[in-house]
Amino acid sequence: MSNNQHTSQAPKNKKKANRQETPSSSIVFRWMTVVMMTITVSFVIFSIVVYKITSRQGLSQQEDVSSKVVSTLDDSLTSIRGELQIANVVPALSPSMRRLLRGGPAITGAKSGSNAFSDDLVSSISNPDISVAVYNLHHEVVFATGNTTPPLPAKRSSAKVLQRSSSGMVLHTYSSVQSNDTGNTTGYIVVANNMSDYNHLMTSLLRWMVIISIVAILSFTIVSYFVVTSVVKPIKAIAKVARQVNQDPNSDVRIKGSRRHDELQDLADSFNQMLDRMQRYIEQQKEFVSDVSHELRTPVAVIEGHLSMLERWGKEDPEILNESISASLQEADRMKHLIQEMLDLTRAEQINVSYPYEVTNVSEVLSRVVSDLDLVHKDFKLQLDLDDLPLATQIQIYRDHLEQLLVILVDNGIKYSTTRHQINISAGVTDKEVIIIVQDFGEGISKVDQAKIFNRFYRVDKARTREKGGNGLGLAIAQKLVTSYHGKIGVESAVGQGSQFKLTFPILTDKEVSHLAELKDRQTTKSS
Ligand code: ADP
């Protein structure tokens, strides 16, 4: 059934894996879209602003030129009293202007300096961009210069009109002429300015802006593509490794190191460490399950053996019956004990989570445990020496766990004692640590075994230890507990002479004790 589930899930997983390929490429796509849009919008805004400013400046220059022509013409025509006509307009014009009208070259510089028409006007009118027309009150052209005759605007409310023509923008400036004497309108002046410089400037500005924008957008896009892909590449590598490990948790693939020392390399390193740790946990869990099943197999086999013996012959034989029942009960008891120890071992690994702020007075616990054990083991002499331990010595540990540690060590001392039935328990302090020693005078442990006794289910002599009710878990539990509380456990032993187990814990200062008490209070109020 589980097999079927597995096979039916495989293609799904594959599909999922393929689907997971897309997000990294979509990052590139999204990133590129954002970059392109930002650059395009920025360049468009920048170009519009530059174009507008340049255009405004160019136009105001051209308006000045046109206005100057209109006002100078106006100045000389206001002296005419009646309606403007060829007969009165032409004499009012300078010789230079008349030459221009006839199509001759303008008189410039000193020659025209004394004339009513300034050099500016002459040179403006000689400017091929400027066309001037003077109209009478009947809207007939009285005279005109330039290539085209600018028409009289239909609406004469505004003085300046911009018009688009085939060669670009044309500026029409209009003014009515009032006689100085009568104050009546005598005619109209219209100046058309083709603004070829301005039109040329604006066309090339536009062309360059388009070229620069396209080049900038392209180069930014190419550069950011390389940047984005170089950022996404390690992410893709991490995702690939994650997928492979997801498919096969035992796989030893890892993210390859790179020369870059950045956040992504940090992420890759942490990811590799996490994978190593995860695989170590899986391995430990596997070992634990196999150890446990192996340990449970023996008592189950013993009980099974007795039950089948009873089934075959024992029911009628009270001796076999009694023997089998008491043996089975003994094994069941051993199993219960084993299960309790396994639970203790598992719990000992989660101390930091369960009892993070517990503080215990060492001498109090030692005195109590030793007097309790003394009652149970009447045939043993348990000697407690606390001379070197200040009464107020406190360490960070849950009281029950310190008791459990002492019970494990004293029990072992008793279990593995030979002729001399004595256990010495002593405690003392150094600068920063408290040291607790449990000494027995029993069989001792060889150097080779000393290195292994803290391993789960390790027993020096399996058969004999079993007889004594040992499961090989006591010291493993002790080690887990001690390291969880930042302590140390060690052994010194000589075969045939006895062993000495040493526990070391950091002593808490008064400040640390009150800080832990505060934290504990806070935790209790939070949980209540
Ligand atoms: P057990 O429950 O079997 O005693 P432990 O983990 O406490 O398991 O001990 C592991 C092994 O270490 C024991 O089986 C025993 O062989 C050895 N051992 C532990 N304590 C002592 C001791 N005080 N003297 C001699 N051998 C010991």
Side-chain angles (χ1 to χ4, degrees):
M1 164 99 179
S2 69
N3 227 357
N4 276 350
Q5 272 177 354
H6 187 80
T7 40
S8 67
Q9 262 179 6
K12 259 192 214 165
N13 285 346
K14 221 174 195 181
K15 254 190 224 167
K16 250 190 203 168
N18 287 340
R19 237 183 291 144
Q20 281 162 353
E21 290 274 7
T22 36
S24 48
S25 35
S26 90
I27 288 180
V28 178
F29 177 73
R30 268 183 282 167
W31 192 321
M32 294 307 298
T33 317
V34 170
V35 167
M36 277 186 61
M37 275 172 57
T38 315
I39 296 169
T40 311
V41 169
S42 316
F43 264 88
V44 166
I45 292 173
F46 175 74
S47 304
I48 289 174
V49 170
V50 171
Y51 189 86
K52 285 268 175 204
I53 291 173
T54 318
S55 159
R56 199 170 299 160
Q57 275 191 346
L59 262 182
S60 103
Q61 274 175 6
Q62 296 300 327
E63 279 170 9
D64 280 356
V65 171
S66 296
S67 301
K68 215 173 249 173
V69 174
V70 169
S71 70
T72 322
L73 252 178
D74 190 49
D75 280 353
S76 60
L77 295 180
T78 45
S79 58
I80 300 167
R81 285 191 93 236
E83 186 184 357
L84 300 181
Q85 291 166 4
I86 298 178
N88 53 22
V89 168
V90 174
L93 300 177
S94 70
S96 168
M97 179 60 84
R98 288 201 292 272
R99 276 172 72 107
L100 273 170
L101 280 169
R102 286 199 301 272
I107 300 165
T108 55
K111 285 181 202 167
S112 60
S114 58
N115 200 280
F117 283 80
S118 73
D119 287 348
D120 272 354
L121 178 63
V122 172
S123 59
S124 294
I125 292 177
S126 66
N127 175 347
D129 280 345
I130 301 280
S131 304
V132 178
V134 177
Y135 285 86
N136 62 16
L137 291 173
H138 300 95
H139 302 177
E140 292 157 356
V141 179
V142 177
F143 83 86
T145 68
N147 302 331
T148 51
T149 306
L152 195 60
K155 274 191 201 159
R156 268 156 276 162
S157 48
S158 55
K160 287 164 197 152
V161 181
L162 255 185
Q163 275 179 357
R164 190 175 289 281
S165 78
S166 56
S167 55
M169 301 304 287
V170 180
L171 175 69
H172 288 272
T173 312
Y174 154 84
S175 174
S176 57
V177 184
Q178 260 103 31
S179 163
N180 270 345
D181 294 340
T182 61
N184 292 334
T185 305
T186 53
Y188 310 101
I189 303 167
V190 185
V191 172
N193 185 349
N194 282 334
M195 307 190 292
S196 58
D197 281 352
Y198 165 84
N199 283 326
H200 185 249
L201 173 74
M202 295 321 285
T203 319
S204 51
L205 183 68
L206 192 67
R207 191 184 312 127
W208 276 110
M209 275 178 164
V210 170
I211 292 170
I212 290 170
S213 296
I214 290 172
V215 171
I217 290 169
L218 279 179
S219 40
F220 270 112
T221 307
I222 291 166
V223 169
S224 53
Y225 177 78
F226 283 112
V227 174
V228 178
T229 42
S230 79
V231 170
V232 168
K233 205 172 148 198
I235 298 177
K236 273 185 172 179
I238 295 172
K240 191 177 166 200
V241 171
R243 269 197 305 280
Q244 281 171 322
V245 176
N246 200 16
Q247 277 161 8
D248 173 15
N250 290 321
S251 158
D252 57 0
V253 284
R254 292 291 180 271
I255 301 154
K256 287 188 195 82
S258 71
R259 268 168 288 135
R260 44 201 285 177
H261 297 289
D262 54 11
E263 290 86 346
L264 286 169
Q265 188 53 44
D266 270 0
L267 175 67
D269 291 344
S270 311
F271 191 77
N272 282 343
Q273 283 165 9
M274 191 189 74
L275 289 180
D276 289 343
R277 206 159 160 181
M278 188 190 81
Q279 284 181 345
R280 245 192 341 265
Y281 280 142
I282 295 175
E283 212 47 53
Q284 280 171 1
Q285 201 192 11
K286 265 194 213 158
E287 275 172 24
F288 185 72
V289 171
S290 98
D291 286 353
V292 167
S293 52
H294 183 258
E295 292 302 318
L296 284 172
R297 206 170 291 145
T298 319
V300 170
V302 173
I303 294 172
E304 200 181 19
H306 281 290
L307 287 178
S308 51
M309 193 163 71
L310 278 180
E311 194 182 34
R312 264 179 271 154
W313 321 288
K315 273 176 279 186
E316 319 306 331
D317 184 338
E319 206 179 310
I320 295 181
L321 188 66
N322 280 339
E323 193 194 314
S324 293
I325 287 174
S326 76
S328 299
L329 279 174
Q330 204 181 335
E331 287 305 320
D333 192 52
R334 192 192 299 280
M335 259 161 71
K336 201 170 80 185
H337 188 61
L338 177 65
I339 289 164
Q340 183 55 48
E341 281 196 321
M342 286 189 309
L343 273 175
D344 285 349
L345 184 67
T346 321
R347 283 185 194 138
E349 286 167 2
Q350 293 160 7
I351 294 296
N352 295 351
V353 186
S354 318
Y355 308 98
Y357 313 122
E358 296 293 332
V359 173
T360 297
N361 180 291
V362 183
S363 73
E364 251 178 58
V365 173
L366 278 174
S367 313
R368 207 159 53 81
V369 171
V370 173
S371 74
D372 285 355
L373 287 170
D374 209 23
L375 284 176
V376 184
H377 303 283
K378 287 220 176 325
D379 52 333
F380 268 79
K381 187 177 173 207
L382 301 186
Q383 198 162 311
L384 179 65
D385 174 6
L386 298 180
D387 290 352
D388 297 329
L389 179 74
L391 278 180
T393 311
Q394 312 232 62
I395 58 172
Q396 188 185 350
I397 190 169
Y398 178 45
R399 161 184 281 266
D400 288 6
H401 287 146
L402 183 58
E403 283 181 16
Q404 194 178 5
L405 279 168
L406 293 166
V407 169
I408 290 171
L409 297 182
V410 174
D411 262 355
N412 274 355
I414 291 171
K415 247 191 294 183
Y416 303 107
S417 278
T418 44
T419 47
R420 188 170 163 187
H421 283 193
Q422 182 180 341
I423 310 289
N424 291 346
I425 301 120
S426 61
V429 289
T430 62
D431 255 6
K432 291 185 172 165
E433 289 174 329
V434 58
I435 296 165
I436 302 166
I437 292 173
V438 178
Q439 184 185 20
D440 66 71
F441 303 93
E443 58 193 48
I445 311 160
S446 72
K447 273 267 174 267
V448 181
D449 288 323
Q450 280 175 32
K452 299 178 189 164
I453 50 173
F454 295 100
N455 293 347
R456 220 169 33 212
F457 298 114
Y458 184 79
R459 281 151 287 185
V460 174
D461 181 339
K462 275 211 170 198
R464 277 209 13 237
T465 310
R466 204 175 129 73
E467 264 170 40
K468 294 179 182 185
N471 293 312
L473 284 175
L475 289 178
I477 295 169
Q479 195 185 40
K480 284 263 150 53
L481 281 175
V482 170
T483 41
S484 298
Y485 287 113
H486 313 293
K488 282 175 270 176
I489 185 168
V491 61
E492 277 176 28
S493 183
V495 178
Q497 291 179 22
S499 315
Q500 202 177 329
F501 282 86
K502 185 160 103 176
L503 299 173
T504 316
F505 289 103
I507 299 174
L508 290 176
T509 59
D510 290 346
K511 213 172 148 194
E512 285 168 333
V513 171
S514 51
H515 180 61
L516 286 169
E518 239 173 65
L519 292 173
K520 193 179 171 183
D521 273 357
R522 234 180 274 166
Q523 195 190 38
T524 0
T525 34
K526 225 190 256 171
S527 54
S528 61

